[in-house]
Amino acid sequence: MLHLASKSPRRAELLARLGLDFGVLELDIPEHRQPNEPALDYVRRVAREKAGAGLLQVMTVPGAIVLGADTEVVLDDEVFGKPRDAEDAAGMLRRLSGRTHQAVSAVSLVSAGREVQAMSVTEVEFMALSEEDIATYVAGGEPMGKAGAYAIQGQAERFVRHLSGSYSGVMGLPLFETSQLLKSFGVY
């Protein structure tokens, strides 16, 4: 039985696109970058911790497989997590404005006897955003709960001048990499 270790409705929606049955495990895993921890290592570690914590919840289920994932926005080696409030969201968007950043998604798939990981790094170039663009977007509430203060599948899609990589990875679960991991486990 496959389980998704995530509270993200976007991740569940994306995983459902693969046509698989799965359960959802809601976990609260602290997401704090360690001092001097490289950004990509941080994202990989959080995905692995989510999968591991999920596996502990379903250890009694025979053949349980748990998928954990993490997605973060990285600019100049700074990790932009979820904004604390509207002011924080506006600040993130100002920094991303007119620049190219990375949307980094790590996926970890674990069972009682096996673990595999994959990573997707997508280059996302934002157009130059006006203060009005930022204020209107933030006022709509969409940035809250989203890494980097934007949802590419929502109103922020219009900010993206260029994308090189995985659109689904920017949303929160890179489907190509995820399907390859699931195939390696004989699930997909």
Side-chain angles (χ1 to χ4, degrees):
M1 171 73 182
L2 178 64
H3 301 273
L4 174 63
S6 177
K7 293 188 288 188
S8 167
R10 289 166 306 286
R11 265 194 203 110
E13 172 196 329
L14 287 164
L15 187 56
R17 290 181 188 178
L18 296 179
L20 300 169
D21 291 327
F22 60 93
V24 176
L25 306 171
E26 294 197 12
L27 306 169
D28 277 317
I29 301 298
E31 296 183 25
H32 304 292
R33 189 174 175 193
Q34 302 299 317
N36 301 316
E37 183 177 28
L40 273 61
D41 290 352
Y42 164 70
V43 178
R44 234 188 311 266
R45 177 178 58 80
V46 171
R48 186 171 188 255
E49 288 176 358
K50 288 177 182 179
L55 187 61
L56 289 176
Q57 285 188 11
V58 295
M59 282 299 290
T60 58
V61 177
I65 299 170
V66 178
L67 187 151
D70 188 46
T71 300
E72 302 291 347
V73 167
V74 179
L75 178 68
D76 300 331
D77 197 47
E78 182 179 345
V79 175
F80 288 45
K82 298 171 183 79
R84 294 180 304 279
D85 54 30
E87 184 178 324
D88 191 32
M92 288 183 190
L93 293 167
R94 280 185 201 101
R95 300 228 3 246
L96 297 174
S97 174
R99 307 235 1 237
T100 298
H101 63 272
Q102 295 178 321
V104 180
S105 283
V107 181
S108 187
L109 198 61
V110 299
S111 67
R114 190 162 171 220
E115 175 181 355
V116 292
Q117 272 199 321
M119 178 163 277
S120 167
V121 179
T122 301
E123 300 286 326
V124 182
E125 180 186 354
F126 266 23
M127 65 181 223
L129 304 174
S130 69
E131 281 301 314
E132 183 180 349
D133 290 332
I134 292 169
T136 300
Y137 183 65
V138 171
E142 191 173 87
M144 305 317 294
K146 314 286 189 313
Y150 75 92
I152 195 166
Q153 72 278 13
Q155 294 295 315
E157 188 169 18
R158 66 190 165 98
F159 300 155
V160 178
R161 174 178 282 149
H162 182 77
L163 180 141
S164 178
S166 171
Y167 185 86
S168 62
V170 180
M171 282 180 65
L173 188 67
L175 291 181
F176 173 78
E177 289 81 357
T178 300
S179 67
Q180 296 304 302
L181 292 180
L182 290 165
K183 281 180 186 175
S184 77
F185 265 71
V187 174
Y188 186 66

